[in-house]
Amino acid sequence: MYKPAKTTVDRKRPPPVKVLSSQLRTAESQGTSGSGDGYVIRPGKGRSLPVSLVWMQGTVLEAQLDRNTVLLMDETGTFAVQGVNNIPKGKPCLSQGKYVMVMGVIQAISPEPVIRAVKMADLSELAALHRQMWKLEVEDLQQVLA
């Protein structure tokens, strides 16, 4: 039976990790080359978790479609998302006040986290529930992974 060969990207990139913007602000670079080697977050005492592909949620503060960027805010701070014009079905997510999820690759952590979007979805319909559960989901997943 034919098995497709795994590419280097498949092997190197783990599944997305749910994170808060404050965790990315305090993350440490995993590599010295700045070539997207990823970052390490510290979810608790003595624990560390490598991250490069992240899942984040927040409210749209500002959409700058001419710059292909949107500014989001979660309960711990703001973060920028780039590449939003290239996301299929992403346009409905880009209105101010919408509560959205974004999955993407970390581009920068300082002074503000910057994510290059791979996927976006509008969670506004049940925003109150999603907001309440988000921090618990983040903590739960990180306890399992770290």
Side-chain angles (χ1 to χ4, degrees):
M1 175 177 265
Y2 173 74
K3 289 185 181 179
K6 285 196 171 215
T7 65
T8 304
V9 172
D10 292 337
R11 283 191 301 261
K12 285 179 86 173
R13 185 131 6 242
V17 176
K18 295 177 181 182
V19 297
L20 300 170
S21 63
S22 61
Q23 292 178 305
L24 290 185
R25 271 188 204 82
T26 59
E28 299 167 8
S29 181
Q30 197 169 316
T32 55
S33 65
S35 61
D37 291 331
Y39 297 88
V40 175
I41 62 169
R42 308 260 179 233
K45 265 189 178 170
R47 296 185 307 158
S48 63
L49 183 61
V51 296
S52 58
L53 184 63
V54 295
W55 174 337
M56 300 177 77
Q57 290 181 190
T59 303
V60 176
L61 294 181
E62 182 181 359
Q64 300 173 342
L65 300 184
D66 57 326
R67 295 179 58 204
N68 203 18
T69 302
V70 65
L71 182 65
L72 299 179
M73 181 174 70
D74 67 13
E75 64 185 72
T76 65
T78 59
F79 59 100
V81 180
Q82 297 177 334
V84 294
N85 295 335
N86 307 329
I87 303 301
K89 300 181 183 177
K91 291 275 192 239
C93 299
L94 303 179
S95 301
Q96 187 173 2
K98 293 266 189 180
Y99 188 76
V100 301
M101 69 76 69
V102 61
M103 194 178 304
V105 180
I106 302 169
Q107 299 296 294
I109 56 171
S110 180
E112 175 177 74
V114 177
I115 308 302
R116 187 179 72 261
V118 174
K119 177 182 180 172
M120 288 185 81
D122 186 356
L123 304 177
S124 299
E125 191 172 318
L126 297 171
L129 177 63
H130 288 296
R131 274 190 191 96
Q132 280 181 327
M133 296 300 296
W134 181 239
K135 192 169 185 183
L136 299 173
E137 288 180 38
V138 170
E139 289 171 0
D140 186 53
L141 178 68
Q142 290 180 6
Q143 282 180 354
V144 170
L145 295 176

